[in-house]
mmCIF file of all heavy atoms in Angstrom:
data_model
loop_
_atom_site.group_PDB
_atom_site.id
_atom_site.type_symbol
_atom_site.label_atom_id
_atom_site.label_comp_id
_atom_site.label_asym_id
_atom_site.label_seq_id
_atom_site.Cartn_x
_atom_site.Cartn_y
_atom_site.Cartn_z
ATOM 1 N N ASN A 43 125.968 63.311 88.457
ATOM 2 C CA ASN A 43 125.548 64.702 88.341
ATOM 3 C C ASN A 43 124.381 64.880 87.339
ATOM 4 O O ASN A 43 124.647 65.122 86.136
ATOM 5 C CB ASN A 43 126.745 65.578 87.940
ATOM 6 C CG ASN A 43 126.453 67.056 88.174
ATOM 7 O OD1 ASN A 43 125.321 67.501 88.031
ATOM 8 N ND2 ASN A 43 127.488 67.793 88.568
ATOM 9 N N TYR A 44 123.216 64.738 87.832
ATOM 10 C CA TYR A 44 122.012 64.837 86.947
ATOM 11 C C TYR A 44 121.924 66.233 86.288
ATOM 12 O O TYR A 44 121.611 66.318 85.116
ATOM 13 C CB TYR A 44 120.764 64.569 87.753
ATOM 14 C CG TYR A 44 119.477 65.098 87.158
ATOM 15 C CD1 TYR A 44 118.834 64.373 86.162
ATOM 16 C CD2 TYR A 44 118.934 66.299 87.531
ATOM 17 C CE1 TYR A 44 117.671 64.839 85.574
ATOM 18 C CE2 TYR A 44 117.784 66.754 86.979
ATOM 19 C CZ TYR A 44 117.145 66.049 85.994
ATOM 20 O OH TYR A 44 116.025 66.531 85.371
ATOM 21 N N PHE A 45 122.184 67.266 87.029
ATOM 22 C CA PHE A 45 122.018 68.626 86.497
ATOM 23 C C PHE A 45 122.972 68.941 85.343
ATOM 24 O O PHE A 45 122.570 69.554 84.371
ATOM 25 C CB PHE A 45 122.186 69.620 87.637
ATOM 26 C CG PHE A 45 121.128 69.492 88.683
ATOM 27 C CD1 PHE A 45 121.436 68.902 89.901
ATOM 28 C CD2 PHE A 45 119.840 69.910 88.446
ATOM 29 C CE1 PHE A 45 120.490 68.760 90.873
ATOM 30 C CE2 PHE A 45 118.866 69.758 89.430
ATOM 31 C CZ PHE A 45 119.184 69.157 90.658
ATOM 32 N N ASN A 46 124.212 68.453 85.422
ATOM 33 C CA ASN A 46 125.138 68.647 84.304
ATOM 34 C C ASN A 46 124.650 67.845 83.080
ATOM 35 O O ASN A 46 124.820 68.289 81.950
ATOM 36 C CB ASN A 46 126.551 68.196 84.668
ATOM 37 C CG ASN A 46 127.264 69.238 85.512
ATOM 38 O OD1 ASN A 46 126.812 70.393 85.599
ATOM 39 N ND2 ASN A 46 128.379 68.878 86.112
ATOM 40 N N ILE A 47 124.086 66.688 83.315
ATOM 41 C CA ILE A 47 123.587 65.881 82.213
ATOM 42 C C ILE A 47 122.425 66.611 81.515
ATOM 43 O O ILE A 47 122.375 66.704 80.310
ATOM 44 C CB ILE A 47 123.123 64.515 82.707
ATOM 45 C CG1 ILE A 47 124.364 63.670 83.090
ATOM 46 C CG2 ILE A 47 122.336 63.747 81.610
ATOM 47 C CD1 ILE A 47 124.027 62.412 83.820
ATOM 48 N N GLU A 48 121.524 67.139 82.290
ATOM 49 C CA GLU A 48 120.391 67.895 81.767
ATOM 50 C C GLU A 48 120.874 69.068 80.928
ATOM 51 O O GLU A 48 120.349 69.313 79.807
ATOM 52 C CB GLU A 48 119.465 68.365 82.826
ATOM 53 C CG GLU A 48 118.192 68.990 82.300
ATOM 54 C CD GLU A 48 117.240 69.424 83.459
ATOM 55 O OE1 GLU A 48 117.717 69.637 84.575
ATOM 56 O OE2 GLU A 48 116.061 69.576 83.140
ATOM 57 N N LYS A 49 121.847 69.818 81.419
ATOM 58 C CA LYS A 49 122.421 70.958 80.690
ATOM 59 C C LYS A 49 123.061 70.518 79.392
ATOM 60 O O LYS A 49 122.941 71.186 78.352
ATOM 61 C CB LYS A 49 123.387 71.733 81.587
ATOM 62 C CG LYS A 49 122.747 72.480 82.732
ATOM 63 C CD LYS A 49 123.783 73.145 83.596
ATOM 64 C CE LYS A 49 123.126 73.829 84.782
ATOM 65 N NZ LYS A 49 124.133 74.462 85.667
ATOM 66 N N THR A 50 123.809 69.413 79.468
ATOM 67 C CA THR A 50 124.524 68.886 78.281
ATOM 68 C C THR A 50 123.469 68.522 77.210
ATOM 69 O O THR A 50 123.647 68.871 76.029
ATOM 70 C CB THR A 50 125.361 67.651 78.640
ATOM 71 O OG1 THR A 50 126.342 68.007 79.590
ATOM 72 C CG2 THR A 50 126.007 67.071 77.382
ATOM 73 N N LEU A 51 122.411 67.843 77.585
ATOM 74 C CA LEU A 51 121.392 67.429 76.605
ATOM 75 C C LEU A 51 120.677 68.637 76.040
ATOM 76 O O LEU A 51 120.420 68.702 74.840
ATOM 77 C CB LEU A 51 120.394 66.489 77.295
ATOM 78 C CG LEU A 51 120.953 65.101 77.711
ATOM 79 C CD1 LEU A 51 119.880 64.363 78.477
ATOM 80 C CD2 LEU A 51 121.344 64.301 76.498
ATOM 81 N N GLU A 52 120.410 69.583 76.929
ATOM 82 C CA GLU A 52 119.670 70.776 76.434
ATOM 83 C C GLU A 52 120.528 71.525 75.417
ATOM 84 O O GLU A 52 119.995 72.038 74.411
ATOM 85 C CB GLU A 52 119.318 71.669 77.639
ATOM 86 C CG GLU A 52 118.401 72.812 77.275
ATOM 87 C CD GLU A 52 117.857 73.531 78.479
ATOM 88 O OE1 GLU A 52 118.160 73.107 79.611
ATOM 89 O OE2 GLU A 52 117.105 74.479 78.273
ATOM 90 N N LYS A 53 121.802 71.684 75.733
ATOM 91 C CA LYS A 53 122.721 72.352 74.794
ATOM 92 C C LYS A 53 122.800 71.629 73.509
ATOM 93 O O LYS A 53 122.806 72.195 72.414
ATOM 94 C CB LYS A 53 124.119 72.483 75.455
ATOM 95 C CG LYS A 53 125.112 73.253 74.580
ATOM 96 C CD LYS A 53 126.452 73.337 75.261
ATOM 97 C CE LYS A 53 127.448 74.082 74.434
ATOM 98 N NZ LYS A 53 128.756 74.187 75.118
ATOM 99 N N GLU A 54 122.862 70.313 73.570
ATOM 100 C CA GLU A 54 123.064 69.474 72.353
ATOM 101 C C GLU A 54 121.814 69.545 71.460
ATOM 102 O O GLU A 54 121.943 69.508 70.248
ATOM 103 C CB GLU A 54 123.289 68.025 72.785
ATOM 104 C CG GLU A 54 123.776 67.152 71.659
ATOM 105 C CD GLU A 54 124.479 65.930 72.165
ATOM 106 O OE1 GLU A 54 124.835 65.885 73.383
ATOM 107 O OE2 GLU A 54 124.720 65.004 71.365
ATOM 108 N N PHE A 55 120.667 69.676 72.064
ATOM 109 C CA PHE A 55 119.418 69.674 71.254
ATOM 110 C C PHE A 55 118.675 71.003 71.309
ATOM 111 O O PHE A 55 117.500 71.119 71.022
ATOM 112 C CB PHE A 55 118.469 68.584 71.794
ATOM 113 C CG PHE A 55 118.963 67.234 71.620
ATOM 114 C CD1 PHE A 55 119.499 66.504 72.693
ATOM 115 C CD2 PHE A 55 119.007 66.590 70.390
ATOM 116 C CE1 PHE A 55 119.981 65.226 72.573
ATOM 117 C CE2 PHE A 55 119.504 65.293 70.196
ATOM 118 C CZ PHE A 55 119.984 64.610 71.327
ATOM 119 N N THR A 56 119.438 72.108 71.658
ATOM 120 C CA THR A 56 118.833 73.390 71.838
ATOM 121 C C THR A 56 118.135 73.934 70.556
ATOM 122 O O THR A 56 117.147 74.676 70.646
ATOM 123 C CB THR A 56 119.844 74.398 72.360
ATOM 124 O OG1 THR A 56 119.166 75.596 72.758
ATOM 125 C CG2 THR A 56 120.887 74.692 71.320
#
Side-chain angles (χ1 to χ4, degrees):
N43 196 326
Y44 161 80
F45 296 103
N46 280 348
I47 290 171
E48 186 179 23
K49 289 177 183 177
T50 299
L51 293 173
E52 188 169 359
K53 182 179 179 181
E54 194 158 344
F55 296 104
T56 189

